Amino acid sequence: MGSPKIQSGQKITPFLWFDRQAEEAARFYTSIFKKSRIVTVMRATGGAAKKTGHKAGSVLTVEFELAGQRFVALNGGPLFKFNEAVSFVVNCKTQADVDRYWDALSAGGEERECGWLRDKFGVFWQITPSILLKLINDPDTAKAERAFEAMLRMTRIDIKALKDAVR
């Protein structure tokens, strides 16, 4: 599989291997995050189609941005699957942000513990309120432990419940 020309000034770009859902996934993700867009769609032509086993005109890669961060999605076939070894953290300021991203990304997927979820394409996400890190790193270790224990009992992170646990 050839690499697309990535035009961003970004030093590192996440490259996601999908079976055949790269464009569908990119459109799904760009519909969820603000400041997001499809940048380019590279299609298989003549020689590339023959070498990769794609039909001429089918999507090979999709370059897209989520909240200004560039990604590339590849239709690479069923050889590789996503797992928890790589996930994307979505930092949220409010419970409304947590709820919005959680509901959108978990739709058709699987909710996991501690703010983790797997979306309908198999990609793992951590929907994390920014206050969580502050609370579990509190200099008062008893407060930090209570916040951490509360988080361990949650699927979707609940900011009020975290704050209540610390009090």
Side-chain angles (χ1 to χ4, degrees), residues 8-14 29-30 33-37 39 63-71 101:
S8 76
Q10 225 169 255
K11 188 74 161 173
I12 298 171
T13 301
Y29 300 141
T30 57
F33 293 90
K34 293 175 185 171
K35 293 173 38 180
S36 299
R37 67 189 176 107
V39 178
E63 185 178 0
F64 61 103
E65 288 181 2
L66 300 181
Q69 167 73 45
R70 291 273 174 121
F71 292 78
Y101 290 118

Side-chain angles (χ1 to χ4, degrees), residues 16 18 29 82 86 88 117-125:
L16 306 172
F18 292 89
Y29 300 141
F82 296 108
V86 174
F88 297 102
L117 63 86
R118 178 173 32 200
D119 71 26
K120 64 184 176 180
F121 301 103
V123 176
F124 286 85
W125 299 84

Side-chain angles (χ1 to χ4, degrees), residues 8-166:
S8 76
Q10 225 169 255
K11 188 74 161 173
I12 298 171
T13 301
F15 197 92
L16 306 172
W17 181 298
F18 292 89
D19 181 359
R20 296 276 180 231
Q21 318 90 330
E23 186 173 24
E24 180 186 354
R27 292 197 186 288
F28 175 69
Y29 300 141
T30 57
S31 75
I32 294 170
F33 293 90
K34 293 175 185 171
K35 293 173 38 180
S36 299
R37 67 189 176 107
I38 302 290
V39 178
T40 58
V41 177
M42 185 168 68
R43 299 188 179 277
T45 58
K50 287 180 185 176
K51 287 182 182 178
T52 63
H54 287 78
K55 291 182 185 175
S58 66
V59 173
L60 287 176
T61 63
V62 180
E63 185 178 0
F64 61 103
E65 288 181 2
L66 300 181
Q69 167 73 45
R70 291 273 174 121
F71 292 78
V72 175
L74 165 74
N75 279 331
L79 185 60
F80 299 112
K81 303 287 184 215
F82 296 108
N83 65 48
E84 296 89 341
V86 174
S87 63
F88 297 102
V89 176
V90 180
N91 295 301
C92 301
K93 291 182 181 177
T94 67
Q95 189 66 48
D97 287 342
V98 169
D99 294 343
R100 187 171 73 78
Y101 290 118
W102 186 270
D103 291 342
L105 289 166
S106 67
E110 177 186 4
E111 296 181 357
R112 297 289 187 95
E113 60 282 334
C114 303
W116 286 62
L117 63 86
R118 178 173 32 200
D119 71 26
K120 64 184 176 180
F121 301 103
V123 176
F124 286 85
W125 299 84
Q126 298 178 57
I127 311 304
T128 308
S130 52
I131 195 165
L132 174 63
L133 291 177
K134 180 181 176 189
L135 293 174
I136 64 175
N137 287 300
D138 193 294
D140 180 333
T141 57
K143 286 182 178 181
E145 283 184 32
R146 288 195 303 271
F148 190 79
E149 290 296 323
M151 179 207 55
L152 290 175
R153 293 188 300 274
M154 298 177 186
T155 48
R156 178 189 317 222
I157 302 299
D158 180 327
I159 294 172
K160 182 182 180 312
L162 285 172
K163 289 178 177 178
D164 288 347
V166 170

